[in-house]
Amino acid sequence: MKTLTPEVNALLDKLYNLRGEDSVILIEMEKQKKKAEETRERTTEQKKDLQKKISELEKLHEELDEQGEKLKEVLSGIHREEYKTVLERLRIDFNPTALVEKLDHSLPKTIDSVKEDTKKAEDELVKVEEEMNNAITTIEEVGIRKDAALGNQEKLNEYFELALTGRINITRDSITSLLEQFKFTEEEQREAAKILMFPEDALFAYDEKIKSKEKSGKSIGEVISEAKTASMEEPKIEETEDHAMEEETPASIDPKEEVILTLKEEGIDYLDFKADEIDELIANFDAETLRKNIELIKKKGLGLDIFHSNIKLFYDLELAEKIEMLIKNGKEIMDIYLNPAVVIKYNKEELKNRILDIKANGLEPSEVPLMAY
């Protein structure tokens, strides 16, 4: 039975964190959303200020241009000599010609400066609008990703509930593809698949620890954090003489472990099968028959994936005779590979009678598709 080792404990810490409201993924998404919302608010205000500034600069440009031309026109029509007496008597320094020259010299530069300020404000507005649009896009994307994450979390919780109640019946691919969405490594995916598909003491012990501490009102994250601290502080149990003697005494091999080990030795991954299929194999397990049938399949070149969804082939005592019977009656190896259900459907005597029936009807067994047997 799998014990709650530090490695298994660490993996379950990670899995259980993803099951709760304080999931690191959900928390990170919330941070991203909050940052994007703050950026949106800031850039929205900046956009308003810049639009106001641009409007004011454009108005200033228009007024300088319009009023400058009018003023030059007025000044050009005034001759100082006509007002010489008044200007000298009142000591007024008024020289229309000099003023026109000054306008011609300075006004274009002033207008160009306003144009430059307007261009800078417009360029800044483009950057601010881009930043604002990116923030809005981020908020929308985070919302979509959060919905997907919550859906994945719901599915993960469903898998755990099924595993803890002994009702799980899903394939390894279902689990690994889900955990891939959570950015688990391939090794973590495989180990998690083992824990969920074939739940053992480690999972139940960990779940009990979590639930007992959750009753105190703490979040899963707090419970996990406390559990990590406790595990680091736990003293090592010194091995007593009695304990050492117990270690030397071999334990009986668990049937499930024996099945899994035998499959592994024959190059077959038990995670390619559903939990109920493994249970069926355990109930009908005979190591010698299993090894003999696997060797037969290899020798005939049928491919080990023929066992997928055809668990009975592992413990069929008549498998060799039935395959040989089909071959002698004109069936190709590929026919059998594509239609293994026929081998499962009949025992040796029933298959023999079926072939005789086909011949009695004036047909050649080789010409009748196996799916019609």
Side-chain angles (χ1 to χ4, degrees):
M1 302 294 283
K2 188 178 289 295
T3 57
L4 194 55
T5 62
E7 293 78 13
V8 173
N9 196 87
L11 180 57
L12 286 170
D13 282 346
K14 189 173 180 179
L15 286 164
Y16 268 74
N17 170 265
L18 295 174
R19 297 183 61 192
E21 293 180 359
D22 52 354
S23 160
V24 291
I25 292 178
L26 295 178
I27 289 175
E28 181 59 29
M29 286 183 182
E30 193 57 36
K31 287 181 181 177
Q32 292 176 3
K33 181 184 177 184
K34 184 177 179 181
K35 183 178 179 181
E37 288 175 338
E38 290 173 350
T39 300
R40 180 185 61 184
E41 292 176 7
R42 172 177 57 79
T43 53
T44 298
E45 290 302 313
Q46 287 179 320
K47 180 178 178 179
K48 290 179 181 177
D49 292 341
L50 285 168
Q51 287 176 328
K52 181 181 178 182
K53 181 178 180 180
I54 291 170
S55 178
E56 290 174 347
L57 286 169
E58 288 175 341
K59 182 180 179 181
L60 176 60
H61 179 193
E62 183 181 343
E63 289 176 347
L64 284 171
D65 196 28
E66 182 180 340
Q67 292 178 21
E69 289 300 319
K70 285 183 178 179
L71 182 57
K72 283 196 295 181
E73 184 179 349
V74 170
L75 291 172
S76 297
I78 299 175
H79 300 287
R80 190 178 188 282
E81 293 300 322
E82 294 180 3
Y83 308 98
K84 179 179 179 181
T85 303
V86 174
L87 293 174
E88 289 179 351
R89 189 71 178 175
L90 296 177
R91 297 180 181 179
I92 297 174
D93 184 15
F94 176 65
N95 188 338
T97 303
L99 288 174
V100 170
E101 290 176 354
K102 186 173 183 179
L103 281 171
D104 286 337
H105 177 74
S106 300
L107 185 59
K109 291 183 178 179
T110 302
I111 291 175
D112 287 343
S113 175
V114 172
K115 285 182 179 179
E116 187 176 341
D117 289 343
T118 305
K119 180 66 167 58
K120 288 180 180 178
E122 288 173 341
D123 290 343
E124 183 64 23
L125 178 60
V126 170
K127 293 179 182 178
V128 167
E129 286 181 331
E130 183 179 358
E131 188 179 7
M132 182 178 68
N133 291 334
N134 287 339
I136 293 171
T137 300
T138 298
I139 293 169
E140 293 173 350
E141 288 178 348
V142 169
I144 294 170
R145 283 164 44 213
K146 185 175 181 180
D147 288 342
L150 288 171
N152 289 334
Q153 184 185 68
E154 184 179 354
K155 188 177 292 184
L156 181 64
N157 280 327
E158 178 188 346
Y159 286 175
F160 266 91
E161 291 305 317
L162 291 172
L164 290 165
T165 55
R167 295 183 292 116
I168 196 162
N169 185 26
I170 54 178
T171 62
R172 175 182 59 178
D173 288 345
S174 299
I175 298 173
T176 55
S177 62
L178 173 61
L179 296 182
E180 189 177 2
Q181 304 300 313
F182 290 112
K183 307 301 181 185
F184 275 61
T185 65
E186 289 187 8
E187 184 178 350
E188 289 174 327
Q189 292 172 27
R190 288 179 59 81
E191 186 61 30
K194 292 177 186 177
I195 292 173
L196 287 171
M197 291 175 70
F198 306 99
E200 296 179 341
D201 291 347
L203 176 59
F204 297 114
Y206 186 95
D207 189 71
E208 183 60 33
K209 177 175 65 176
I210 292 293
K211 286 180 177 176
S212 64
K213 292 190 177 182
E214 277 184 332
K215 292 177 182 177
S216 64
K218 296 175 181 176
S219 67
I220 290 181
E222 292 172 322
V223 172
I224 291 174
S225 178
E226 289 182 5
K228 284 182 179 177
T229 304
S231 64
M232 292 173 64
E233 296 175 351
E234 284 178 0
K236 293 184 178 179
I237 301 174
E238 294 189 8
E239 189 178 83
T240 63
E241 185 177 344
D242 291 339
H243 180 68
M245 290 177 65
E246 289 176 4
E247 289 291 330
E248 294 173 2
T249 305
S252 299
I253 298 177
D254 181 79
K256 180 164 66 176
E257 291 293 333
E258 186 177 4
V259 167
I260 292 172
L261 180 61
T262 305
L263 289 173
K264 184 177 181 181
E265 289 173 350
E266 294 296 329
I268 295 177
D269 192 338
Y270 74 95
L271 291 176
D272 287 331
F273 303 92
K274 296 179 181 179
D276 63 343
E277 291 177 321
I278 294 296
D279 289 340
E280 180 183 340
L281 185 54
I282 293 170
N284 298 275
F285 180 64
D286 177 73
E288 183 180 352
T289 301
L290 182 141
R291 293 183 189 277
K292 184 173 69 174
N293 287 354
I294 292 174
E295 183 60 32
L296 172 68
I297 294 301
K298 289 179 179 178
K299 186 176 179 181
K300 295 295 184 182
L302 284 164
L304 294 179
D305 58 340
I306 194 174
F307 291 108
H308 296 175
S309 301
N310 299 297
I311 205 77
K312 289 181 174 61
L313 296 178
F314 277 125
Y315 58 85
D316 190 337
L317 296 172
E318 299 177 335
L319 183 62
E321 291 96 327
K322 288 189 286 186
I323 289 178
E324 197 59 37
M325 191 183 302
L326 289 170
I327 293 173
K328 284 182 178 180
N329 281 276
K331 287 303 169 188
E332 300 289 338
I333 290 297
M334 184 56 69
D335 294 332
I336 301 172
Y337 175 77
L338 294 174
N339 297 279
V342 174
V343 182
I344 296 171
K345 181 179 179 181
Y346 300 109
N347 61 34
K348 181 175 66 176
E349 194 61 32
E350 290 171 341
L351 182 58
K352 178 181 178 182
N353 291 334
R354 178 58 184 146
I355 291 173
L356 290 174
D357 287 341
I358 291 173
K359 290 180 178 179
N361 287 318
L363 301 172
E364 282 297 326
S366 61
E367 297 177 356
V368 178
L370 275 182
M371 66 179 64
Y373 268 52

